[in-house]
Amino acid sequence: MLGAAVLIGLLLLTGCITRTEVENYTITMVDTTVRILSKTPPDRKDWGIVAPSSRQIHIERKVVQWDSVVERYYPDFIRLGVFESAGLVGTAPEGTEPLYPGLFGLFSLTDRDTSGVFSGGLYRFGIGEWRLRWFRDAPNWTIGTYAMEMLIPYRSSSGREILYGVLPLYLRKRFFLRETIPYVALTPTVGISAIPSAYIHLGGTFDVGSIGGLNLRVYLGYWYGVTAGGDIALTSQRSVTFSTFAAGIGISFLDFLNRVEETEIEWKDHPHSAWNVGVAHFGLFYREPDTAGNPRLPGVSFTLFPSYLALPIDKEHFRFLIGLSAFRAVILDDTTSAYSFVPLRFGYWYTLIPDELSVSPFLEYGFYPYGLLDLGVSLNLYVNPYVSLRLVGGYMQSSAVSEWVEDRSIRRWYGAIVVGLGDRIFFDHQLRYAK
């Protein structure tokens, strides 16, 4: 049942992205040709007789008509996103073990770190909001849902003290404090879920972002609900009721927000703020043959939800970039590997061939649970709006930051081929700083 509900949710979200408007025209072209001919009479003598004029005028008119159909494509959503998470404070009552998910709800999920202030986590997948035309079409009201939402207030061995929502219903009203990118808004929220957990959520967020799909949020809310089983599959008959107040800090990736005015701008005319936004980058690393000269399998890398934003130093210089991704992992062999959540990238982007080829030197560092440093250069080929191909080379090193993960240090020069899926590369003329 859960898989079917998630699939239905994703279909609903992807079917409400674009609004198509068709304009029908009848085009009429009228062409008039006037020809004037003046013939010389055969006898030029004047015998006192008025002869008729030899001038001739020919007028020809043509009328051509045809039908013309123009299709215009507009965004048909207020907010559409892939993933959102938050680390929450104050969700673990006395006598329970905090989850300790770390900043943004991501950093400590894979180890047993028992330090920090974040006791619980909030995770959302498949985000969608559409305009709600209440109060005589008042702006900034929305109705929305998630393919799946999870509130984990503390560590639970039974799984009962977790609220799961599949396609919960949310109402929001945004009050914009800044109406230019990056937007800043206060957003009161009311949400309700029926399955698998029944709960109500009252709260609000302070939102900054929607720039290249990146957003930062401060959360404040109250949850009250009941989970009617031992896990998300509802394999147990015992239900658990609980409530919690929580505050937290969150981040979202591939999460795009439109103001009402932007839903009246055609897709082709929308400005962009990032050099590169994608779903995932998959890489293959070259490995030297073994001591016997036999070839070895390549190392692999995986980057999830990369977004590299242009830094507008001024209108003439916007090639410097700053970027984030949700997760990056590198596995070179059985003894050398590392992974980090929300690595930070600085770099420079230069277009070599317009609409085709670009180069980007960069420095990327992942903070936790491995300190992962990557200094390199990427040659980027635009294949189509959804696929890119890269040649990347540089130096990489890593070390374990958390004491709960195994130290599998990386220190080596590397060369790699990287394929971007769901990956969009932009060029100078497409960025809003160049307009």
Side-chain angles (χ1 to χ4, degrees):
M1 181 182 71
L2 174 61
V6 172
L7 178 60
I8 292 173
L10 292 175
L11 291 176
L12 289 174
L13 293 182
T14 55
C16 303
I17 296 176
T18 299
R19 180 180 79 257
T20 302
E21 295 186 3
V22 179
E23 298 179 358
N24 298 309
Y25 296 91
T26 297
I27 300 176
T28 301
M29 186 176 68
V30 179
D31 183 23
T32 302
T33 303
V34 179
R35 295 184 298 167
I36 301 176
L37 302 177
S38 181
K39 296 183 179 180
T40 304
D43 187 5
R44 294 179 178 273
K45 295 181 180 181
D46 184 5
W47 299 99
I49 300 174
V50 178
S53 173
S54 63
R55 185 183 185 193
Q56 297 179 3
I57 300 176
H58 297 275
I59 301 176
E60 183 179 359
R61 175 174 292 181
K62 293 182 179 180
V63 178
V64 180
Q65 287 187 329
W66 69 90
D67 293 332
S68 175
V69 178
V70 178
E71 292 187 345
R72 304 185 187 277
Y73 303 98
Y74 301 86
D76 197 28
F77 61 90
I78 295 298
R79 183 184 172 202
L80 199 69
V82 174
F83 175 72
E84 174 183 354
S85 67
L88 302 178
V89 178
T91 59
E94 186 176 353
T96 61
E97 181 184 359
L99 182 66
Y100 294 120
L103 184 64
F104 305 138
L106 295 174
F107 283 104
S108 302
L109 287 179
T110 59
D111 60 28
R112 298 172 56 193
D113 182 17
T114 56
S115 62
V117 297
F118 297 100
S119 57
L122 176 66
Y123 306 94
R124 291 163 168 168
F125 307 87
I127 306 160
E129 290 183 40
W130 295 269
R131 188 177 179 186
L132 184 62
R133 297 179 178 272
W134 278 4
F135 309 114
R136 296 187 176 182
D137 223 14
N140 303 323
W141 284 92
T142 68
I143 183 170
T145 188
Y146 305 99
M148 185 174 182
E149 176 182 51
M150 291 190 300
L151 171 66
I152 308 176
Y154 47 86
R155 196 179 300 274
S156 171
S157 58
S158 67
R160 297 185 180 90
E161 293 81 8
I162 298 176
L163 294 180
Y164 302 95
V166 175
L167 302 181
L169 182 67
Y170 273 84
L171 299 179
R172 288 182 172 88
K173 167 67 175 178
R174 285 184 174 82
F175 297 92
F176 283 94
L177 307 180
R178 175 186 167 93
E179 296 189 352
T180 57
I181 298 174
Y183 302 127
V184 179
L186 293 173
T187 310
T189 299
V190 177
I192 187 170
S193 172
I195 57 172
S197 303
Y199 60 86
I200 185 172
H201 172 208
L202 304 175
T205 58
F206 175 76
D207 309 321
V208 178
S210 188
I211 178 168
L214 290 175
N215 298 264
L216 296 176
R217 291 184 176 86
V218 177
Y219 295 80
L220 182 64
Y222 170 75
W223 284 266
Y224 177 83
V226 55
T227 297
D231 51 33
I232 197 168
L234 304 182
T235 56
S236 171
Q237 300 300 316
R238 187 171 71 88
S239 62
V240 173
T241 301
F242 68 95
S243 62
T244 182
F245 284 96
I249 299 175
I251 191 171
S252 59
F253 297 87
L254 292 183
D255 184 4
F256 302 94
L257 177 70
N258 288 318
R259 295 174 55 240
V260 174
E261 294 83 352
E262 291 175 311
T263 62
E264 302 301 326
I265 301 175
E266 290 187 72
W267 274 118
K268 65 182 180 65
D269 296 325
H270 270 246
H272 303 282
S273 304
W275 289 111
N276 183 208
V277 177
V279 175
H281 291 168
F282 296 92
L284 295 178
F285 287 80
Y286 171 76
R287 293 178 63 195
E288 296 179 352
D290 59 21
T291 56
N294 299 317
R296 294 189 292 183
L297 292 175
V300 297
S301 69
F302 174 74
T303 301
L304 186 64
F305 307 147
S307 182
Y308 305 139
L309 310 179
L311 286 178
I313 298 176
D314 56 47
K315 289 185 68 66
E316 300 296 330
H317 303 88
F318 50 87
R319 299 185 182 278
F320 288 95
L321 66 86
I322 183 172
L324 289 173
S325 52
F327 175 78
R328 187 181 184 194
V330 178
I331 304 174
L332 298 182
D333 53 42
D334 295 339
T335 59
T336 54
S337 64
Y339 61 91
S340 289
F341 290 94
V342 197
L344 179 64
R345 173 177 291 208
F346 296 96
Y348 187 84
W349 195 282
Y350 186 77
T351 300
L352 298 176
I353 302 177
D355 300 328
E356 292 183 18
L357 192 65
S358 59
V359 64
S360 176
F362 65 88
L363 171 65
E364 183 172 270
Y365 187 75
F367 299 91
Y368 197 89
Y370 288 88
L372 178 59
L373 175 67
D374 187 359
L375 178 63
V377 178
S378 175
L379 185 65
N380 317 302
L381 176 64
Y382 175 96
V383 178
N384 61 48
Y386 309 102
V387 178
S388 67
L389 184 64
R390 292 171 166 82
L391 294 178
V392 185
Y395 177 78
M396 181 183 300
Q397 72 174 41
S398 71
S399 60
V401 175
S402 171
E403 62 181 9
W404 299 104
V405 297
E406 183 180 354
D407 190 0
R408 305 165 67 89
S409 298
I410 300 173
R411 283 176 176 80
R412 59 165 289 179
W413 295 90
Y414 71 89
I417 298 176
V418 179
V419 177
L421 299 179
D423 195 50
R424 180 68 183 272
I425 291 177
F426 297 96
F427 293 89
D428 301 34
H429 65 278
Q430 296 173 302
L431 268 61
R432 60 190 177 94
Y433 310 115
K435 296 184 181 295

